[in-house]
């Protein structure tokens, strides 16, 4: 079988299964692992798929703007939940923590510690509404003009943020690559910079769907974050590019059944 024919077959397998592994493909086609890796790299360059740790997934659809709130605030997929759970594990007793209104923040809520007292500051009505009944959490809601999503990110919001000092802030955006974290809207970018400035420690949360690409507005370079958490589907070359610019990346692996 010629390499082009093999790549066509790989694409068919990917469409059927939603994910392919390098080792399985090498066994299937009776070729070396290096040959398969070369195939996947060429196919990614053509936009046919996205490389991951140990394999590939279908080419992602890049979203320049946030999803509607009814899609954003749901249970989330396995990868988003893995990131959220790992992120929540960094919260300690007595800390003041900033949690925003992105979908990954919403996923975090089910994993927040229940056995220690801590404080959450948020600019999201939805986040505050969930946390208001938690016995171990003091929740502060930052004001401003309320968007349809229930989030606030205007000049008034930023002035209120400056009144707080955070032990830990969980930041995210629409995309992240070796140049830094970026987002679709300038006011959100400015707000994230203010939050970072008020925080002793900042953790960036970014799934494979936004890793290795850029959005409209730059927020912060990768080396200012104390940690960047992503999932196991993020392409290794994207992770290494971020690490090469001083970013500290940890992978949140799916729990084995």
């Amino acid at each position: 079988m010629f390499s082009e024919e093999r790549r066509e077959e790989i694409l068919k397998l990917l469409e059927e299964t939603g994910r392919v592994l390098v080792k399985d493909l090498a066994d299937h086609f009776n070729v070396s692992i290096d040959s398969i890796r070369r195939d996947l790299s060429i196919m990614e360059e053509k936009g046919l798929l996205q490389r991951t740790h140990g394999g590939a997934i279908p080419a992602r659809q890049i979203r320049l703007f946030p999803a509607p709130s009814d899609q954003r605030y749901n249970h989330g997929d396995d990868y988003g939940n893995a990131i959220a759970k790992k992120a929540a594990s960094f919260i300690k007793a007595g800390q003041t923590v900033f949690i925003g209104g992105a979908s990954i923040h919403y996923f975090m809520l089910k994993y927040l510690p229940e056995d220690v007292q801590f404080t959450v500051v948020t600019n999201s009505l939805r986040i505050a509404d969930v946390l208001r009944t938690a016995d171990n959490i003091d929740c502060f809601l930052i004001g401003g003009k309320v968007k349809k999503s229930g989030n606030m990110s205007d000049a008034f919001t930023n002035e209120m943020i400056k009144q707080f000092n955070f032990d830990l802030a969980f930041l995210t955006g629409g995309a992240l690559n070796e140049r830094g974290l970026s987002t679709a809207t300038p006011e959100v970018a400015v707000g994230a910079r203010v939050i970072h400035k008020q925080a002793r420690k900042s953790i960036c949360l970014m799934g494979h769907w936004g890793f290795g690409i850029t959005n409209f507005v730059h927020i912060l370079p990768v080396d200012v974050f104390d940690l960047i958490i992503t999932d196991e589907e993020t392409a290794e070359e994207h992770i290494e590019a971020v690490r090469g610019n001083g970013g500290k990346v940890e992978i949140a692996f799916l729990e084995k059944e």
Side-chain angles (χ1 to χ4, degrees), residues 3 24 34 42 57 88 103 106 109 150 153 180 206 214 237 241 252:
S3 58
D24 292 344
D34 286 340
I42 291 171
I57 58 175
S103 56
Y106 190 79
L109 300 184
S153 57
M206 182 58 63
T214 58
E237 54 262 43

Side-chain angles (χ1 to χ4, degrees):
M1 179 181 290
F2 294 111
S3 58
E4 284 297 333
E5 294 175 314
R6 186 171 63 243
R7 290 165 199 159
E8 289 180 6
E9 289 298 317
I10 290 173
L11 194 58
K12 289 178 183 178
L13 288 171
L14 189 58
E15 291 173 350
E16 292 172 1
T17 63
R19 181 182 182 184
V20 291
L21 299 176
V22 170
K23 185 180 182 302
D24 292 344
L25 291 174
D27 292 340
H28 179 77
F29 293 107
N30 195 27
V31 296
S32 69
I33 286 177
D34 286 340
S35 293
I36 295 298
R37 285 174 176 161
R38 190 159 47 248
D39 287 338
L40 297 183
S41 294
I42 291 171
M43 293 171 74
E44 184 177 46
E45 289 175 2
K46 294 180 178 180
L48 299 175
L49 52 75
Q50 179 192 342
R51 292 286 305 278
T52 67
H53 281 280
I57 58 175
R60 64 186 164 220
Q61 295 296 315
I62 298 173
R63 180 180 290 278
L64 295 180
F65 296 94
S69 58
D70 60 340
Q71 297 178 26
R72 194 186 313 178
Y73 302 113
N74 52 38
H75 177 71
D77 64 13
D78 292 340
Y79 303 108
N81 276 276
I83 294 171
K85 186 174 183 180
K86 187 175 185 68
S89 71
F90 286 91
I91 299 174
K92 307 302 180 186
Q95 287 186 327
T96 297
V97 179
F98 179 85
I99 298 177
S103 56
I104 198 74
H105 294 129
Y106 190 79
F107 304 159
M108 282 182 63
L109 300 184
K110 66 175 80 70
Y111 303 112
L112 295 180
E114 298 180 355
D115 57 344
V116 297
Q117 294 286 329
F118 62 100
T119 298
V120 170
V121 179
T122 184
N123 63 330
S124 168
L125 288 174
R126 288 177 179 262
I127 299 295
D129 187 50
V130 174
L131 296 182
R132 65 186 174 85
T133 58
D135 293 333
N136 66 314
I137 300 173
D138 291 327
C139 183
F140 289 81
L141 178 62
I142 295 170
K145 183 179 180 180
V146 183
K147 299 179 179 179
K148 291 181 180 179
S149 65
N151 297 340
M152 290 153 279
S153 57
D154 59 13
F156 185 68
T157 305
N158 294 338
E159 287 303 312
M160 289 192 68
I161 290 171
K162 293 176 184 178
Q163 309 307 309
F164 294 91
N165 294 307
F166 308 119
D167 295 298
L168 182 57
F170 295 99
L171 298 176
T172 189
L176 182 139
N177 66 3
E178 67 274 13
R179 294 176 56 198
L181 180 67
S182 55
T183 190
T185 52
E187 64 272 17
V188 171
V190 172
R193 292 185 204 118
V194 174
I195 294 163
H196 171 74
K197 187 175 181 180
Q198 298 302 116
R200 295 185 180 90
K201 184 176 183 179
S202 294
I203 295 179
C204 178
L205 312 178
M206 182 58 63
H208 66 270
W209 52 85
F211 221 102
I213 60 175
T214 58
N215 256 183
F216 179 52
V217 187
H218 177 79
I219 300 176
L220 291 163
V222 294
D223 61 350
V224 305
F225 296 107
D226 295 272
L227 183 65
I228 298 167
I229 303 176
T230 191
D231 61 81
E232 63 186 77
E233 290 294 335
T234 301
E236 187 171 357
E237 54 262 43
H238 296 327
I239 293 175
E240 290 307 314
V242 168
R243 285 174 173 161
N245 272 14
K248 305 173 184 67
V249 183
E250 287 191 15
I251 299 169
F253 291 97
L254 301 185
E255 294 183 353
K256 304 299 181 183
E257 295 182 359

